[in-house]
Amino acid sequence: MTDKTANTEDMSVYDELPDAPPKKKIKLTWVGKLGVSVVLFWVLMVFIGPYIAPFHEADIIAYDSFMPVWSETEGEGFHVLGTDYIERDILSRVLWGARTTIGISFLATMFAYLVGVTLGIGAAVAGGWVDMIFSRVNDAILSLPSIMLGLLIVVALGTSIPILILTASVIYAASVYRIARALGQDIMVMDFVEAARVRGEGMWYIITREVLPNAIMPLATDFGLRLVFVVLFISSLSFLGLGIQPPMADWGSMVRQNLDGLGYGSYAAVWPALAIASFTIAINLIVDDVSASEGGTLARKMIS
Amino acid sequence: MQRMVIQRIIIGIITLWVVSVLVFVGTSVLPGDVAQIVMGQSATPETLAAYRAENGLDQPLYMQYATWLGGMFTGDLGISKAGGATISSLIGGRFGNTMFLAGVVAIISVPLSIILGLLAAMYPATWIDRVLTFGTLSLISVPDFFIATFMVLIFAVNLGWLPAIAHISPEDTMWQTIRASAMPLITLIIVVSAQMIRMTRAGILNVMNSPYIEMSILKGVRRNRIIVRHAFLNAIGPIVNVVALNLAYLVSGVVIVETIFAYPGLAKLMIDGVQTRDLPLVQACAMIFCGTYVILIILSDVAAILSNPRLRNPK
């Protein structure tokens, strides 16, 4: 008998145990699959967008601003989605913007998760005064509207991409902390954690082997929602002219810059707005679908 | 019960105080010397010192904070760096405009969303419910300025019914004011209602899962009567909570909407202040917004405590 077969046999033995972990199979409806394909499309664009875009994001190539959809600049090529307020190609800027908007939001959400989950699970496991202090500070941050906090930080520290990422991650780490702590507390009172403690396992083992694996699914779902909030937050700041600075293309500021074009019958502001909407709605559809297949309890938790 | 409410209010006051420290310290640790920035490079050491003394910048930070906080209570909010007008005079008129906006939005969107939320919960999995659930999900996942952009596209550009910019002056007639502020109003109503409809629906469906509803189904009460008499009455607590929470969300919605339509409200004033880095102005506006937000959150908590007997008498 080779090692391989021995392994598979071992697995099947575990499967028959009464306390075997339930097999997690996520079944998506067609709505969820649609969401997944839209998100995958944009993720692909984050990586290849700038390479397949016909022009550079900062190139002023056309002879006219607010050119209509599918117009041509002689000698340069077609503007599939028209041109913007200073004669740049919209399609190229939307493709470049995917990298800026999604990339920055993703980084910020990752940082928020790193900080929020570490502190949240830490507070739940440690309890006592550590939990007390963290939670009070957290309440203060959560008691401010996020856009106000963003504005205050921007006025104090100025606008740059690192500060933007820092701002978004601090603000959203607070809400991640709250969820991670609540999940951690629920799991800490379970029998299997008790059993691990009685076995004499250390804190590190309990956190990494008992608590985290059981918190991962709800956290993953929440990650999607949080990413949507961060995208909306960063685009809103950019929209106000306080986020990503020109000439970098980013969806929020593109809407703002081309808003006047609506009056001249140009749809330049609509495309980046649609890009944001398609990305965020798609994520929400996936999250809704996953929560529905988990009995919907998650969705209810997220609302409160 | 009284103890819990009082406890909640005290926590709220402490939060407000922490917020004021955050706002003050957060905006005071500017890199660079404020006096230097304001007076410019040509300022002599004497004029710099004079400016510092005049504005209390030569005092330690906690003294500056005490002066600032004292000013907040007495209505003396300091002097704007741009233009030199007093901040209270700048805020005065703007505050009324923003309150008008928020007030009208609340009056329309609260009953509208409760009725629609109720409808969706009464007929789950029918087309009414599906349309409402999918529609509101889409609306809450797009940025506020997305909705505003489409409002401009439809009502100002294509139909030409409403102005894209909200010019408001005190001499306007009532009708002119309403017409000018129609677009910001509609946008905010959509943003706030979408969230409220979802939460109302979830709140009622949650109640529908409880044993006493099952009991009334079993004893043969009609469906509509169950929803109106049993579910809705028990869901009032959560719904009041939702309403207060969403009025708090209005605070962030107002920032975007006032900017996009150039509506002369408090949020527009604040954004202008952020762009010119007018610190005293931003601090004052931020305190007003955050204060309103915290007070609404406290109200929603108190409503939740009052409406739920189990929270009223904790074990």
Side-chain angles (χ1 to χ4, degrees), chain A:
Chain A
M1 195 185 277
T2 63
D3 277 355
K4 208 175 178 182
T5 48
N7 267 338
T8 47
E9 264 180 24
D10 278 348
M11 292 301 287
S12 60
V13 168
Y14 285 130
D15 280 346
E16 280 160 22
L17 286 175
D19 58 346
K23 280 182 201 156
K24 284 265 164 73
K25 266 188 194 156
I26 304 165
K27 275 190 190 142
L28 292 175
T29 60
W30 65 269
V31 180
K33 283 176 188 154
L34 180 75
V36 171
S37 38
V38 172
V39 171
L40 281 181
F41 168 75
W42 282 122
V43 170
L44 189 68
M45 285 309 130
V46 168
F47 290 103
I48 66 166
Y51 302 105
I52 61 167
F55 305 99
H56 187 268
E57 58 177 339
D59 272 356
I60 299 171
I61 20 101
Y63 302 126
D64 210 356
S65 55
F66 293 133
M67 282 165 78
V69 170
W70 199 257
S71 50
E72 189 182 4
T73 302
E74 260 176 62
E76 293 283 356
F78 280 103
H79 305 297
V80 179
L81 297 180
T83 58
D84 74 351
Y85 73 118
I86 48 171
E87 296 139 39
R88 290 173 298 194
D89 184 58
I90 292 281
L91 175 69
S92 310
R93 281 179 67 76
V94 169
L95 290 178
W96 280 80
R99 174 170 291 185
T100 328
T101 302
I102 298 177
I104 288 179
S105 307
F106 185 76
L107 271 182
T109 318
M110 284 301 284
F111 280 130
Y113 253 78
L114 213 64
V115 176
V117 170
T118 311
L119 294 183
I121 302 267
V125 173
W129 61 269
V130 178
D131 185 27
M132 215 357 232
I133 292 174
F134 281 177
S135 300
R136 287 291 85 76
V137 173
N138 201 55
D139 283 351
I141 296 180
L142 279 178
S143 70
L144 294 177
S146 55
I147 193 93
M148 283 293 144
L149 263 180
L151 289 177
L152 284 174
I153 298 182
V154 164
V155 77
L157 300 176
T159 47
S160 71
I161 289 180
I163 287 177
L164 202 59
I165 295 178
L166 185 83
T167 309
S169 34
V170 168
I171 292 173
Y172 288 95
S175 32
V176 175
Y177 168 90
R178 203 176 62 160
I179 286 173
R181 176 171 166 274
L183 280 171
Q185 278 182 329
D186 281 355
I187 297 169
M188 281 305 281
V189 295
M190 296 280 187
D191 288 344
F192 56 81
V193 175
E194 192 70 18
R197 280 204 171 144
V198 173
R199 279 206 308 271
E201 304 287 2
M203 263 311 153
W204 180 247
Y205 179 92
I206 291 180
I207 293 175
T208 53
R209 302 297 294 273
E210 306 285 358
V211 178
L212 274 182
N214 283 291
I216 215 81
M217 263 312 284
L219 283 181
T221 328
D222 180 69
F223 186 89
L225 287 178
R226 216 51 62 189
L227 181 61
V228 169
F229 287 136
V230 175
V231 169
L232 296 186
F233 171 75
I234 286 185
S235 337
S236 294
L237 272 188
S238 294
F239 177 81
L240 294 172
L242 302 167
I244 295 148
Q245 298 299 311
M248 271 185 96
D250 117 273
W251 295 342
S253 51
M254 283 176 72
V255 178
R256 175 74 179 153
Q257 291 156 355
N258 296 314
L259 207 57
D260 293 338
L262 287 179
Y264 311 116
S266 156
Y267 287 84
V270 173
W271 305 115
L274 280 179
I276 301 177
S278 67
F279 184 67
T280 49
I281 292 179
I283 292 183
N284 266 328
L285 289 180
I286 303 173
V287 170
D288 246 30
D289 226 24
V290 172
S291 331
S293 69
E294 295 228 328
T297 48
L298 260 175
R300 235 171 284 141
K301 259 186 200 164
M302 299 304 157
I303 290 169
S304 59

Side-chain angles (χ1 to χ4, degrees), chain B residues 180-199:
Chain B
S181 42
M183 294 267 265
L185 283 175
I186 299 174
T187 312
L188 275 178
I189 288 172
I190 293 179
V191 171
V192 175
S193 303
Q195 188 72 277
M196 243 189 293
I197 292 172
R198 282 182 79 77
M199 289 167 133

Side-chain angles (χ1 to χ4, degrees), chain B residues 69-134:
Chain B
L69 196 65
M72 277 280 160
F73 281 112
T74 53
D76 170 24
L77 301 171
I79 293 173
S80 163
K81 292 223 178 91
T86 60
I87 290 176
S88 8
S89 73
L90 282 178
I91 287 179
R94 299 296 194 95
F95 187 68
N97 285 345
T98 298
M99 285 308 288
F100 169 75
L101 200 63
V104 175
V105 170
I107 290 171
I108 298 178
S109 62
V110 170
L112 181 79
S113 1
I114 290 182
I115 291 173
L116 288 180
L118 203 59
L119 263 181
M122 277 168 91
Y123 305 104
T126 57
W127 65 268
I128 301 183
D129 183 35
R130 280 181 211 281
V131 167
L132 281 173
T133 331
F134 183 77

Side-chain angles (χ1 to χ4, degrees), chain A residues 143-144 155-156 240 273 280 284, chain B residues 15 26 30 141 146 275 277 290 293:
Chain A
S143 70
L144 294 177
V155 77
L240 294 172
T280 49
N284 266 328
Chain B
T15 316
L30 270 177
S141 27
F146 178 89
Q275 266 146 3
R277 300 194 108 186
C290 297
Y293 190 77

